[in-house]
Amino acid sequence: MSYQKGDIIMRNRPWAYVLEDKHKSAYCHFCFRRPIEKADQKLRRCTQCLFAHYCDGKCAKSAWKDHKVECNRLSLALKSGADIPECNIRLLARILMKLARGERSDPPDACIPPSERTYDSLCTHADQVSDPRNFTLARDFGMTPTRFEHL
């Protein structure tokens, strides 16, 4: 197979993602685009949680399946004056929401070239972590790597 300059050789949407806190108002929370300042484009903020930002109604609608549950939680936090969870907490929550809905992967055609990889095909490397204190996610959640195997 021969590729030409400009050919797309691989494309895949992330299965679960969140923006880092420092980028929350600079990029669309669905497509990750940044508005063009010269064209006076501005991101539109979610009217319920006031946290997520989108290019337009199309991106907001496309993001709604994943944003719906967190939107409710974020708006409750905003109303109560609580802190918004950091990005690693929000990412873990998204992963757990997708798994609870039975979503193990995107459709094969969501990837170029098509892929049958699923969440369950990911490998654990817990046995290779010699000191769990060096495992950032484990430290953040007070867990040891072996506790992730049940997911």
Side-chain angles (χ1 to χ4, degrees):
M1 177 175 266
S2 174
Y3 297 108
Q4 301 298 317
K5 184 177 180 180
D7 286 351
I8 296 174
I9 58 172
M10 184 176 177
R11 175 177 55 208
N12 193 6
R13 289 187 324 251
W15 180 70
Y17 57 89
V18 296
L19 284 172
E20 286 187 57
D21 298 341
K22 65 183 177 183
H23 299 299
K24 70 177 183 171
S25 59
Y27 295 90
C28 175
H29 284 225
F30 179 72
C31 72
F32 307 124
R33 288 191 188 108
R34 183 178 216 150
I36 301 169
E37 291 180 22
K38 291 179 185 175
D40 281 340
Q41 291 179 336
K42 295 199 187 302
L43 294 173
R44 296 166 51 186
R45 201 159 47 166
C46 174
T47 56
Q48 184 175 340
C49 69
L50 306 175
F51 181 80
H53 292 74
Y54 300 103
C55 293
D56 51 31
K58 183 179 175 185
C59 279
K61 185 175 182 180
S62 298
W64 185 244
K65 184 178 181 183
D66 288 333
H67 180 60
K68 180 170 45 173
V69 174
E70 72 183 3
C71 183
N72 184 40
R73 302 290 191 262
L74 291 169
S75 61
L76 289 172
L78 179 72
K79 289 174 186 170
S80 70
D83 291 334
I84 299 294
E86 293 181 11
C87 60
N88 55 355
I89 304 294
R90 290 184 287 113
L91 178 60
L92 182 60
R94 276 203 176 186
I95 291 169
L96 293 174
M97 283 187 281
K98 284 180 156 291
L99 293 174
R101 288 193 306 242
E103 293 179 36
R104 300 309 237 198
S105 67
D106 284 327
D109 62 346
C111 181
I112 295 175
S115 173
E116 296 290 334
R117 291 202 59 182
T118 67
Y119 178 85
D120 294 327
S121 69
L122 298 174
C123 299
T124 178
H125 298 283
D127 58 330
Q128 297 172 5
V129 178
S130 59
D131 185 353
R133 292 173 297 182
N134 294 331
F135 192 50
T136 304
L137 195 57
R139 184 182 65 240
D140 289 350
F141 291 101
M143 302 171 78
T144 59
T146 54
R147 292 189 189 161
F148 288 108
E149 292 178 9
H150 71 282
L151 297 176

